[in-house]
Amino acid sequence: DTAVSQTPKYLVTQMGNDKSIKCEQNLGHDTMYWYKQDSKKFLKIMFSYNNKELIINETVPNRFSPKSPDKAHLNLHINSLELGDSAVYFCASSTSVTRSSYNEQFFGPGTRLTVL
Amino acid sequence: AQRVTQPEKLLSVFKGAPVELKCNYSYSGSPELFWYVQYSRQRLQLLLRHISRESIKGFTADLNKGETSFHLKKPFAQEEDSAMYYCALRTAGGTSYGKLTFGQGTILTVHP
């Protein structure tokens, strides 16, 4: 009965490869997010989708492309991986942000990506 | 643009001692402030939010708009409080779309 799940938990790959991280939530939430936590534990938002629509797109390289096939899923695809992409990536979800009410974000366990 | 600063990356206290994790923010509008916590081997989770003015696990935090601060306090620290703590700011209203801006995080260690 995990609320927000991510796969894989660990991902080790070579520079230049293309990889995807999957996120699923069973909370019935409308909004999902991707965050990146770097080696210094700094946590920064990358993308957010509300009802499958992209609503937040921070300054992220074009090599990163989120895809939301439905409200319960938000996947992150990364092309041409670079050493600097090594980080922990967190998915999160919340009730619809467009309702202008407080909406707690529920986080997944994280995916540790290591680029060699 | 909004910014959240947690000046202490590491904070160590002994069990039973008071603890204060500092958080300062920069935002021109009316902010919503939160504290999130990540215990060892657990996922990041909400600890408390300023609008509810609640005490969770003995922790409280008061929003001080004059000093633009939202420090997290607990009068008597426990070993199980050891964790990474993130202060976060959410811009209220407009087209912010619930974006959370996190501080750099503070690792709290409570020694026995």
Side-chain angles (χ1 to χ4, degrees):
Chain A
D1 58 346
T2 304
V4 182
S5 59
Q6 296 178 228
T7 54
K9 191 172 182 180
Y10 298 96
L11 183 55
V12 181
T13 187
Q14 299 285 334
M15 259 194 332
N17 284 349
D18 302 338
K19 290 294 179 185
S20 291
I21 306 172
K22 296 186 177 182
C23 178
E24 177 181 3
Q25 53 94 5
N26 61 6
L27 297 168
H29 287 161
D30 295 322
T31 307
M32 296 184 72
Y33 313 78
W34 275 110
Y35 289 87
K36 179 181 180 181
Q37 185 184 49
D38 63 23
S39 58
K40 297 182 179 179
K41 303 292 186 182
F42 188 55
L43 193 62
K44 187 164 191 232
I45 190 166
M46 300 173 69
F47 302 103
S48 176
Y49 271 73
N50 186 69
N51 282 323
K52 296 170 50 179
E53 178 187 352
L54 181 66
I55 56 173
I56 294 176
N57 187 351
E58 293 294 284
T59 307
V60 178
N62 291 337
R63 300 181 294 102
F64 290 79
S65 53
K67 285 186 171 54
S68 182
D70 54 59
K71 287 197 309 182
H73 296 84
L74 180 61
N75 304 322
L76 183 64
H77 188 75
I78 314 170
N79 290 327
S80 302
L81 278 155
E82 300 177 357
L83 294 176
D85 297 332
S86 295
V88 180
Y89 292 85
F90 288 97
C91 177
S93 73
S94 71
T95 54
S96 176
V97 296
T98 58
R99 293 177 188 168
S100 299
S101 61
Y102 164 71
N103 41 31
E104 177 183 349
Q105 293 188 18
F106 292 82
F107 284 79
T111 295
R112 182 174 294 278
L113 171 65
T114 302
V115 182
L116 303 175
Chain B
Q2 60 269 24
R3 180 182 295 179
V4 178
T5 303
Q6 293 178 248
E8 302 140 328
K9 188 164 177 63
L10 301 170
L11 184 61
S12 290
V13 299
F14 286 99
K15 178 183 174 181
V19 62
E20 181 180 53
L21 290 85
K22 291 184 167 49
C23 172
N24 289 91
Y25 67 91
S26 170
Y27 178 57
S28 57
S30 181
E32 294 179 30
L33 276 299
F34 306 87
W35 277 97
Y36 277 79
V37 61
Q38 187 174 26
Y39 300 102
S40 178
R41 301 180 189 279
Q42 294 186 31
R43 60 189 66 197
L44 193 63
Q45 58 188 287
L46 179 68
L47 180 62
L48 55 78
R49 46 189 163 129
H50 90 269
I51 57 174
S52 59
R53 301 182 67 81
E54 58 200 343
S55 173
I56 302 293
K57 299 184 178 182
F59 284 98
T60 58
D62 290 319
L63 177 61
N64 186 323
K65 291 188 177 180
E67 296 182 359
T68 59
S69 67
F70 188 56
H71 303 327
L72 183 67
K73 301 176 184 179
K74 185 169 182 176
F76 307 103
Q78 302 299 315
E79 290 179 68
E80 54 265 30
D81 296 328
S82 297
M84 167 73 93
Y85 291 81
Y86 286 99
C87 182
L89 179 152
R90 175 177 180 260
T91 53
T95 58
S96 64
Y97 294 117
K99 173 183 170 180
L100 279 180
T101 299
F102 285 88
Q104 303 93 316
T106 298
I107 299 173
L108 172 66
T109 303
V110 181
H111 299 284

